[in-house]
Amino acid sequence: MKKALLFLALLVALASQAQQKWTAQQANDWYKTQPWYVGCNYIPSNSINELEMWQAETFDLKRIDQELQWAEALGLNTMRVFLHDLLWKQDPEGFKKRIDQFLAVCEKHHIKPMLVLFDSCWDPLPKLGKQKDPTPGIHNSGWLQSPGATALADEKEWPRLKAYVKGVVTAFANDKRVMSWDVWNEPDNYNANSYADPKNKIEIIEKILPKAFEWTRAAKPSQPLTSGVWKINYKEFKELTKTEKIQLDLSDIVTFHCYDDTASFERAIAFLKKYERPLICTEYLARGNKSTFETILPIGKRDKIGMINWGFVVGKTQTNLPWDSWQKPYVDGRQPAVWHHEILNEDGTPYKKEETDIIKKLTGAK
């Protein structure tokens, strides 16, 4: 009886430990076993958003295989890939099967993706089924928030969101093909220049974001969790917002976005290094802002900071166009002076060969 009680206590302790944030030591020990991660925020060029990428009718494994072959040739070894809660609601088993197929293609090309569970950016009214065509001349005209505004604001919907997280993460909790879980992308993004979000969105996020981490940890993933800070003013820092505190307090590894120049990037890493955890920049590359492969990627290699730029192959997301295309669409033959994001044309040729040469040199691609 005594042994049985001790065994039960051990199981409870292990379960509790599995649901706790990693210590800095655990996170750094994990990172020592990992390569220098370099990759892109990835969606196939023939998909406008997460639903078109993953729904059965438009899931194009052949195109994904081709594009990830191009990525492998550049020496890229990770991709940040967005999932969506409505895909679980639509077809849980089919969605898991397609994720597994995607991971098999990633493994074939020596790529370990970071999977993103929720996202607060762009359209707050996602709908299953056929997705709209791109709006001509506009950056990311069809990207979807997950969850949408209705589900986010209705706590009766949260058990469904919990089931989605638990289902997906449990299925791949011990899958060595997955690098990490990004619990929520830019959770406090209001999308003020493009869509109308709920006025109390931040208040809702402050309540649900800790729960999203809790749901993810309850699935006992062997991979680290994170949520990237994205709007800290590192030059004139005053204090973290409540959302940023939640992100940094609950993340096993520290991730961040920086679309500015070298000086800004250096300030960001100097600030975030004080957390004494692995650093991965999960969004950069805005050529018009002087965030380029030539200027930023070498710093990442110097400090072994994982580097994941936005965009890979130009396509239906149109993220080669700048953010201000929402106010001034690139129509009637107007073209940007430089591409905003993306690396390759649709046929796999580089936008700029000097950029892909730099990437290959730094990654050691053959």
Side-chain angles (χ1 to χ4, degrees):
M1 181 67 173
K2 198 171 185 180
K3 287 184 178 180
L5 289 172
L6 285 171
F7 181 66
L8 180 61
L10 178 62
L11 288 178
V12 170
L14 289 172
S16 175
Q17 184 180 22
Q19 294 179 40
Q20 292 176 355
K21 174 183 172 178
W22 287 10
T23 65
Q25 184 68 52
Q26 287 172 315
N28 288 312
D29 286 347
W30 168 81
Y31 201 52
K32 287 175 185 175
T33 68
Q34 306 300 306
W36 176 45
Y37 282 116
V38 184
C40 310
N41 284 269
Y42 177 72
I43 187 167
S45 58
N46 57 1
S47 296
I48 191 172
N49 58 33
E50 312 94 300
L51 295 185
E52 191 163 45
M53 174 178 178
W54 290 107
Q55 287 184 117
E57 296 78 12
T58 46
F59 182 62
D60 190 346
L61 203 59
K62 183 177 180 181
R63 182 67 190 180
I64 291 168
D65 187 16
Q66 174 64 81
E67 293 182 355
L68 294 190
Q69 180 181 334
W70 295 337
E72 181 183 17
L74 293 178
L76 305 183
N77 57 8
T78 190
M79 291 284 165
R80 184 168 176 250
V81 182
F82 290 71
L83 310 179
H84 201 288
D85 64 282
L86 291 182
L87 295 159
W88 185 263
K89 181 180 181 180
Q90 178 189 52
D91 177 18
E93 294 306 313
F95 186 30
K96 284 193 294 186
K97 180 181 178 182
R98 290 187 290 279
I99 294 174
D100 182 68
Q101 291 174 317
F102 174 76
L103 291 175
V105 172
C106 285
E107 184 178 39
K108 172 184 173 182
H109 296 296
H110 307 99
I111 289 168
K112 290 182 69 171
M114 171 185 285
L115 300 180
V116 185
L117 295 169
F118 294 117
D119 183 9
S120 286
C121 294
W122 305 105
D123 191 342
L125 301 174
K127 294 181 181 178
L128 292 163
K130 188 179 185 305
Q131 301 301 296
K132 68 177 186 179
D133 293 329
T135 304
I138 291 182
H139 172 109
N140 232 354
S141 63
W143 198 267
L144 304 171
Q145 293 190 42
S146 171
T150 303
L152 181 68
D154 184 359
E155 292 192 26
K156 293 179 182 176
E157 286 281 316
W158 293 8
R160 177 181 68 78
L161 302 178
K162 178 180 179 180
Y164 152 63
V165 172
K166 184 178 179 182
V168 169
V169 179
T170 298
F172 302 99
N174 294 300
D175 197 318
K176 296 185 184 301
R177 299 172 298 178
V178 176
M179 184 258 277
S180 58
W181 299 95
D182 191 334
V183 177
W184 208 304
N185 178 60
E186 298 192 1
D188 50 349
N189 194 327
Y190 255 126
N191 302 284
N193 293 324
S194 47
Y195 295 98
D197 275 332
K199 291 182 179 179
N200 64 335
K201 181 176 183 178
I202 304 303
E203 180 184 335
I204 299 169
I205 286 295
E206 289 171 355
K207 189 173 182 179
I208 194 173
L209 182 56
K211 292 183 181 294
F213 270 92
E214 178 186 324
W215 301 337
T216 310
R217 289 202 198 283
K220 302 178 185 177
S222 59
Q223 310 92 344
L225 312 187
T226 192
S227 176
V229 291
W230 65 284
K231 61 177 183 178
I232 297 174
N233 184 339
Y234 299 102
K235 189 175 183 179
E236 300 175 3
F237 178 74
K238 294 180 180 178
E239 61 179 346
L240 296 171
T241 66
K242 186 174 179 180
T243 301
E244 289 163 349
K245 288 177 182 177
I246 293 170
Q247 291 176 282
L248 291 167
D249 286 348
L250 296 180
S251 291
D252 300 319
I253 59 175
V254 173
T255 55
F256 67 103
H257 300 171
C258 184
Y259 282 113
D260 295 314
D261 61 16
T262 304
S264 299
F265 190 79
E266 293 277 20
R267 282 193 292 268
I269 61 177
F271 179 90
L272 295 170
K273 276 183 178 180
K274 70 182 181 182
Y275 290 92
E276 298 181 338
R277 290 174 178 271
L279 293 182
I280 299 178
C281 178
T282 49
E283 291 187 27
Y284 77 102
L285 184 63
R287 293 179 180 90
N289 285 11
K290 299 182 181 179
S291 174
T292 67
F293 293 114
E294 297 94 326
T295 58
I296 304 298
L297 195 56
I299 301 172
K301 179 153 191 180
R302 181 194 73 194
D303 291 355
K304 199 190 173 183
I305 296 167
M307 300 296 295
I308 305 175
N309 71 277
W310 190 274
F312 185 45
V313 181
V314 71
K316 293 176 79 172
T317 61
Q318 301 179 159
T319 54
N320 62 312
L321 303 177
W323 296 308
D324 68 3
S325 61
W326 278 86
Q327 289 73 46
K328 300 175 182 178
Y330 282 77
V331 294
D332 299 327
R334 196 166 72 94
Q335 296 295 321
V338 295
W339 277 14
H340 192 60
H341 304 315
E342 315 293 9
I343 301 175
L344 302 180
N345 293 293
E346 284 190 72
D347 63 359
T349 57
Y351 165 59
K352 289 185 175 181
K353 185 176 181 298
E354 55 266 36
E355 288 184 342
T356 53
D357 286 345
I358 288 168
I359 294 169
K360 288 192 285 187
K361 180 180 178 181
L362 292 172
T363 61
K366 296 179 181 178

